Amino acid sequence: DADLSKLPIFQGGFINFGYWPNPLLENEKITIDQRIACSKEMYRVVGSLAGILKQHSIVDIGSGLGYGSSFFLQQYQPKLVVGLDISPEQIARAKKYHASEISAGKLRFTIGEAESMPFAERSFDRVLSVEAAQHFTSIPAFSKEVSRILKPGGKLVMTSFFPTNEE
């Protein structure tokens, strides 16, 4: 029931609202192609801010179905991208959808919590998270984990949103 990827608003594989840099539409209906383009644009903005280089190892926290992790790999060609998600079902689907990139050895998916990541200290050059922090149980615990797994000189880039009230 909590699988956001089944909602019509998240068609196209990406489970985020995306980045809409221009006035939206002349008609009222958003197409799947527009959704995908705006989701990719969000990952492009995050990747650009992160300054991803080919020698970097990256972890994508809250990777969902893995389309963002795959995008980071295709767009920036880092050494390794690891998608981390708390949902075993999402990780299983990500592994299925991105099997060829996994076989190439540059993409992995792992089950885990943002507040207690299953990685060694100083494992990653970049920690990225796109519209997932609103689901974390503790931002301070997440921050501590990021500090633990980032290599010296590493960088965290994240986007999120938090409602200001119940409505």
Side-chain angles (χ1 to χ4, degrees):
D1 290 342
D3 185 355
L4 295 176
S5 69
K6 292 180 181 175
L7 297 175
I9 193 169
F10 297 123
Q11 291 176 336
F14 291 90
I15 307 173
N16 65 61
F17 291 110
Y19 179 69
W20 300 75
N22 298 312
L24 186 55
L25 304 166
E26 294 168 9
N27 60 15
E28 294 182 17
K29 184 149 170 96
I30 298 169
T31 68
I32 293 173
D33 288 341
Q34 288 169 315
R35 286 258 330 109
I36 292 170
C38 290
S39 290
K40 286 181 178 180
E41 188 60 24
M42 175 66 85
Y43 284 90
R44 191 174 288 110
V45 168
V46 168
S48 177
L49 289 169
I52 299 170
L53 302 174
K54 290 187 187 236
Q55 67 267 25
H56 285 159
S57 294
I58 295 166
V59 62
D60 177 19
I61 309 299
S63 59
L65 301 177
Y67 286 91
S69 301
S70 175
F71 179 84
F72 287 136
L73 181 62
Q74 293 170 21
Q75 185 75 27
Y76 300 100
Q77 302 174 0
K79 179 172 60 176
L80 174 68
V81 177
V82 178
L84 178 81
D85 201 278
I86 195 169
S87 168
E89 294 83 10
Q90 298 287 55
I91 292 296
R93 289 163 67 193
K95 287 178 177 179
K96 180 177 122 186
Y97 298 155
H98 308 287
S100 62
E101 291 167 312
I102 293 168
S103 295
K106 294 197 166 226
L107 182 63
R108 293 194 320 236
F109 292 99
T110 302
I111 300 168
E113 297 179 14
E115 304 85 356
S116 178
M117 297 185 219
F119 305 121
E121 291 182 14
R122 299 182 176 138
S123 301
F124 296 97
D125 301 288
R126 300 292 185 264
V127 174
L128 310 176
S129 182
V130 176
E131 293 184 19
Q134 69 276 8
H135 300 292
F136 301 167
T137 57
S138 170
I139 297 298
F142 167 69
S143 298
K144 187 174 181 179
E145 278 295 276
V146 168
S147 294
R148 184 183 69 77
I149 68 167
L150 267 178
K151 293 178 182 177
K155 187 185 269 190
L156 163 68
V157 178
M158 62 183 285
T159 66
S160 197
F161 56 90
F162 298 94
T164 57
N165 60 48
E166 287 296 315
E167 292 180 11

